[in-house]
Amino acid sequence: MKKFLQKVIVYISVLSFLVVLIIFFFRKDYQINFVSNSVAQNMKAAFIVKNYQRFNNSRIIVIGSSMSLNNIDAIQIEDSFKTPTFNLASWGMKLEDFKDYDIWRRGNTIILNMHFSDFGKSEIVKKRGFPFTNSSILQFYNTAFDFKTYLGQAEEAKVAVDSTSIKSYKWLKFDSSGSAMFSDSNFNKSANRWNKDPFLFYGINDTKLQEFVTTLQEVKKLKNTGFNFIISFSPGRRIFYTEQRMKTVEKLAELIHAHCSDILFINKYDFNMPDTFFVDNTHFNRTGAETYTREIIESIKADTRIKTYK
Amino acid sequence: MLFNSIEFLVFLPVVFLLYWFVFSRSLRLQNLLVLSASYFFYGWWSINFLGLLILSTCLDYLYGFGVVSTNKRRARLFLWLSIVNNLGILAVFKYYNFFAIQFQNGFERLGMHFDPILLNFALPIGISFYTFHGMSYVFDIYRKQQQPVSNFIDYAVFVSFFPLLVAGPIERASHLLPQIQEKRRFNYAQAVEGCRLILWGLFKKVVVADSLSEIVDSSFRNYQEDNAFSLIVGAISFSFQIYGDFSGYSDIAIGTAKLFGFELLSNFKFPYFSRDIAEFWRRWHISLSSWFRDYLYIPLGGSRNGKLKAVRNTFIIFLVSGFWHGASWNFIIWGGIHAMAFMPLLLLNRNRKYSADVVAKNNTLPTAKEFGQMLTTFSFVTLAWIFFRANDGVRLAFGYLGQIGKSVIQDPGQFLTAPKGWIAVLYIIPLLFGDWWLRRDERSLLKWGWPVNLVLGLLVWYHFGGNNSFIYFQF
């Protein structure tokens, strides 16, 4: 037994030494905080760590998926309300994924911009330290037990911040407030994404609406009251608009009002934006994002319940 | 928990150290530890279905006492109780929805509409394995090949032993129970062999199978857009994905059992080196095919009552085997395809031609004839695997094959360009090389030196983080 244990310990020691050597040799500093299976979320996590003071001081927080990351101009919100604003959104993040953030406190205004892609279960797989961590030990632990994914994400991150990527859907170079708006000109549009009907693709039904509202109620329990919660529903390409779908969004608004009456729901699904403002069926380019954000700001200002803080 | 998970990396050494250092003085306590660890292992996945496992264990334990009765009627009653109980569990959790939908379709064709109540819970992991353990135990007692076990803990360990609980091998009471009932002594060579087998199994699963999964998923999802070369590579990749996944799991299970002083039945003996389909089925998932042989084929009469009955019984075995893998027509068709290939060998009495020796037993390389035989058998098996993989239905399988045929004609030049994901396919080479090395003597795994084991360890570590459960968990 002793000989066996010695052999095992020696083997594991040598293997571990080689593993540590490989990690240190190959570890790339491409702005990833390796806390999930999503490269966008990991880049956002690294961005938070790097700009922690700005994040911590922000009183308006934009959350959500790429609907918020690419379609909301957080700097414009900040300038308009004269309140520090931070865009926390990243690809594929669902409302439930933001429960881990300590943003649900008195005095904050949370803005979630959404579309039909934001229903359903999250596919984010969280690692230790989610949603972001300063701990090198945790980072090393996550990297050591998923090195292949880490390397793959490091390469993706490198591409995502390259200047040419602003004309592609991979763009993840955040501006000072965390938004990542797409280029207005010469964008490499995908025909598949351009023509995909989001309502049909995501199979929207009453069950999904109800599940979303249930998650909203769980989120509202996080920290009693005192924070403003604003949900906006952005438009897709006009070709996909129908009255029936508008009714679905109105039904969502009714459900939210019935269960969470203090949430401000801004229904902009019928806001007619020209195709020149889009890069695919639901994502805006910079001009589109700026135009849409202006609309949201006006709606927020028009609602007297929402207080913004200087 | 999965074998390729951080939780298991912690679980295994803890149980190992407790087993040999704390509980080794008392056989009873040692078995109790193994049982507790096994329930913990299973409960990690689902506490609710742990209850089902325990219930199934208790029932078969009791049936074992009933079936030993000298009263033949009573004995048969308890045998049937065990069969109905175990198959009932399978019927409810695994096959109910399939039959309900088939009935619905049948009624629709007759112009009648009805909405069956469908069950909406997950398939309990390992259900097809532990129910077979229970049934074989009761069967063996009925046949006077086994005595009922008085100690419940010993029996429960036989059913629930964690290395083989969720994906086999399907053990026999006569093989495993005596080992459970005897004191185990730590054996250095056995433990080292166990560790190397675990490492080799992890390589097959984590490195080979998981690397190929992306190509396979892509090929079967987008087959309408792919060319023939990519689809053929996709099909071959699945052949090695399922082999790496399942035989890798078996190796890890057998290796883990060795760490605790147990020898389990071999489950795979290099099936892709088979020279015909009959040999393939003597080398692939051996514990399942031998289970069906002993508890279905032979009770049906086997080959004792003429060729016609032998053909019938063989067909039944293959179809049932297909159905065992999943409640879906594509699995049944997969079984049927293998049955069709097996029949000529059976009818010509050539199904035992290669039952004795492994290919190229005395040579380093196969002869041209042997190579041709292996290639032909492998090609057929790969073709059949397309139906096995076609989760979305039989139409997908035919569509896949149709797309290969269409693309070959439309674009013959495609074979000169690299197919999608070809790099991952390179992992097949060390797998084939390793299996070829081991085919004459599985114990030659022990001769692999430190450099090989370190390289394997590094490769396993590098690919460790993927989130791919073993394919055979769904059974």
PDB file of all heavy atoms in Angstrom, chain B residues 361-372:
ATOM      1  N   LYS B 361      -3.069 -12.579 -34.237  1.00  0.00           N
ATOM      2  CA  LYS B 361      -2.627 -12.959 -32.892  1.00  0.00           C
ATOM      3  C   LYS B 361      -1.106 -13.117 -32.819  1.00  0.00           C
ATOM      4  O   LYS B 361      -0.486 -12.737 -31.831  1.00  0.00           O
ATOM      5  CB  LYS B 361      -3.296 -14.274 -32.497  1.00  0.00           C
ATOM      6  CG  LYS B 361      -3.008 -14.683 -31.073  1.00  0.00           C
ATOM      7  CD  LYS B 361      -3.566 -16.039 -30.749  1.00  0.00           C
ATOM      8  CE  LYS B 361      -3.060 -16.437 -29.359  1.00  0.00           C
ATOM      9  NZ  LYS B 361      -3.199 -17.857 -29.121  1.00  0.00           N
ATOM     10  N   ASN B 362      -0.532 -13.680 -33.862  1.00  0.00           N
ATOM     11  CA  ASN B 362       0.909 -13.954 -33.813  1.00  0.00           C
ATOM     12  C   ASN B 362       1.715 -12.996 -34.677  1.00  0.00           C
ATOM     13  O   ASN B 362       2.906 -13.227 -34.904  1.00  0.00           O
ATOM     14  CB  ASN B 362       1.181 -15.400 -34.261  1.00  0.00           C
ATOM     15  CG  ASN B 362       0.482 -16.375 -33.327  1.00  0.00           C
ATOM     16  OD1 ASN B 362       0.524 -16.211 -32.109  1.00  0.00           O
ATOM     17  ND2 ASN B 362      -0.197 -17.364 -33.896  1.00  0.00           N
ATOM     18  N   ASN B 363       1.063 -11.963 -35.165  1.00  0.00           N
ATOM     19  CA  ASN B 363       1.758 -11.014 -36.044  1.00  0.00           C
ATOM     20  C   ASN B 363       1.608  -9.602 -35.521  1.00  0.00           C
ATOM     21  O   ASN B 363       0.678  -9.297 -34.781  1.00  0.00           O
ATOM     22  CB  ASN B 363       1.167 -11.059 -37.457  1.00  0.00           C
ATOM     23  CG  ASN B 363       1.269 -12.444 -38.057  1.00  0.00           C
ATOM     24  OD1 ASN B 363       2.295 -13.114 -37.922  1.00  0.00           O
ATOM     25  ND2 ASN B 363       0.201 -12.891 -38.692  1.00  0.00           N
ATOM     26  N   THR B 364       2.513  -8.776 -35.959  1.00  0.00           N
ATOM     27  CA  THR B 364       2.430  -7.371 -35.572  1.00  0.00           C
ATOM     28  C   THR B 364       1.336  -6.661 -36.363  1.00  0.00           C
ATOM     29  O   THR B 364       0.612  -5.830 -35.839  1.00  0.00           O
ATOM     30  CB  THR B 364       3.772  -6.669 -35.835  1.00  0.00           C
ATOM     31  OG1 THR B 364       4.814  -7.407 -35.206  1.00  0.00           O
ATOM     32  CG2 THR B 364       3.767  -5.248 -35.285  1.00  0.00           C
ATOM     33  N   LEU B 365       1.240  -7.031 -37.642  1.00  0.00           N
ATOM     34  CA  LEU B 365       0.255  -6.381 -38.508  1.00  0.00           C
ATOM     35  C   LEU B 365      -0.723  -7.421 -39.054  1.00  0.00           C
ATOM     36  O   LEU B 365      -0.371  -8.599 -39.178  1.00  0.00           O
ATOM     37  CB  LEU B 365       0.967  -5.679 -39.675  1.00  0.00           C
ATOM     38  CG  LEU B 365       1.844  -4.485 -39.296  1.00  0.00           C
ATOM     39  CD1 LEU B 365       2.630  -3.988 -40.510  1.00  0.00           C
ATOM     40  CD2 LEU B 365       0.995  -3.340 -38.745  1.00  0.00           C
ATOM     41  N   PRO B 366      -1.935  -7.002 -39.431  1.00  0.00           N
ATOM     42  CA  PRO B 366      -2.873  -7.950 -40.016  1.00  0.00           C
ATOM     43  C   PRO B 366      -2.486  -8.262 -41.457  1.00  0.00           C
ATOM     44  O   PRO B 366      -1.774  -7.480 -42.092  1.00  0.00           O
ATOM     45  CB  PRO B 366      -4.206  -7.201 -39.964  1.00  0.00           C
ATOM     46  CG  PRO B 366      -3.823  -5.764 -40.040  1.00  0.00           C
ATOM     47  CD  PRO B 366      -2.508  -5.628 -39.346  1.00  0.00           C
ATOM     48  N   THR B 367      -2.965  -9.387 -41.939  1.00  0.00           N
ATOM     49  CA  THR B 367      -2.773  -9.677 -43.351  1.00  0.00           C
ATOM     50  C   THR B 367      -3.715  -8.796 -44.157  1.00  0.00           C
ATOM     51  O   THR B 367      -4.631  -8.173 -43.590  1.00  0.00           O
ATOM     52  CB  THR B 367      -3.087 -11.143 -43.655  1.00  0.00           C
ATOM     53  OG1 THR B 367      -4.486 -11.357 -43.331  1.00  0.00           O
ATOM     54  CG2 THR B 367      -2.226 -12.092 -42.837  1.00  0.00           C
ATOM     55  N   ALA B 368      -3.534  -8.799 -45.475  1.00  0.00           N
ATOM     56  CA  ALA B 368      -4.398  -7.979 -46.324  1.00  0.00           C
ATOM     57  C   ALA B 368      -5.855  -8.445 -46.188  1.00  0.00           C
ATOM     58  O   ALA B 368      -6.783  -7.633 -46.137  1.00  0.00           O
ATOM     59  CB  ALA B 368      -3.941  -8.076 -47.776  1.00  0.00           C
ATOM     60  N   LYS B 369      -6.043  -9.753 -46.109  1.00  0.00           N
ATOM     61  CA  LYS B 369      -7.394 -10.300 -45.980  1.00  0.00           C
ATOM     62  C   LYS B 369      -8.025  -9.852 -44.661  1.00  0.00           C
ATOM     63  O   LYS B 369      -9.181  -9.413 -44.622  1.00  0.00           O
ATOM     64  CB  LYS B 369      -7.323 -11.836 -46.022  1.00  0.00           C
ATOM     65  CG  LYS B 369      -8.699 -12.500 -45.909  1.00  0.00           C
ATOM     66  CD  LYS B 369      -8.570 -14.021 -45.807  1.00  0.00           C
ATOM     67  CE  LYS B 369      -9.940 -14.628 -45.510  1.00  0.00           C
ATOM     68  NZ  LYS B 369      -9.874 -16.043 -45.172  1.00  0.00           N
ATOM     69  N   GLU B 370      -7.247  -9.952 -43.586  1.00  0.00           N
ATOM     70  CA  GLU B 370      -7.770  -9.559 -42.274  1.00  0.00           C
ATOM     71  C   GLU B 370      -8.107  -8.064 -42.263  1.00  0.00           C
ATOM     72  O   GLU B 370      -9.129  -7.645 -41.721  1.00  0.00           O
ATOM     73  CB  GLU B 370      -6.738  -9.879 -41.184  1.00  0.00           C
ATOM     74  CG  GLU B 370      -6.663 -11.365 -40.867  1.00  0.00           C
ATOM     75  CD  GLU B 370      -5.477 -11.688 -39.966  1.00  0.00           C
ATOM     76  OE1 GLU B 370      -4.494 -10.899 -39.938  1.00  0.00           O
ATOM     77  OE2 GLU B 370      -5.511 -12.735 -39.294  1.00  0.00           O
ATOM     78  N   PHE B 371      -7.231  -7.279 -42.887  1.00  0.00           N
ATOM     79  CA  PHE B 371      -7.470  -5.846 -42.938  1.00  0.00           C
ATOM     80  C   PHE B 371      -8.763  -5.559 -43.695  1.00  0.00           C
ATOM     81  O   PHE B 371      -9.585  -4.739 -43.273  1.00  0.00           O
ATOM     82  CB  PHE B 371      -6.293  -5.139 -43.601  1.00  0.00           C
ATOM     83  CG  PHE B 371      -6.445  -3.647 -43.634  1.00  0.00           C
ATOM     84  CD1 PHE B 371      -6.212  -2.886 -42.501  1.00  0.00           C
ATOM     85  CD2 PHE B 371      -6.851  -2.999 -44.790  1.00  0.00           C
ATOM     86  CE1 PHE B 371      -6.367  -1.508 -42.514  1.00  0.00           C
ATOM     87  CE2 PHE B 371      -7.023  -1.622 -44.807  1.00  0.00           C
ATOM     88  CZ  PHE B 371      -6.784  -0.870 -43.669  1.00  0.00           C
ATOM     89  N   GLY B 372      -8.940  -6.251 -44.817  1.00  0.00           N
ATOM     90  CA  GLY B 372     -10.163  -6.094 -45.597  1.00  0.00           C
ATOM     91  C   GLY B 372     -11.401  -6.477 -44.784  1.00  0.00           C
ATOM     92  O   GLY B 372     -12.431  -5.804 -44.829  1.00  0.00           O
TER      93      GLY B 372
END
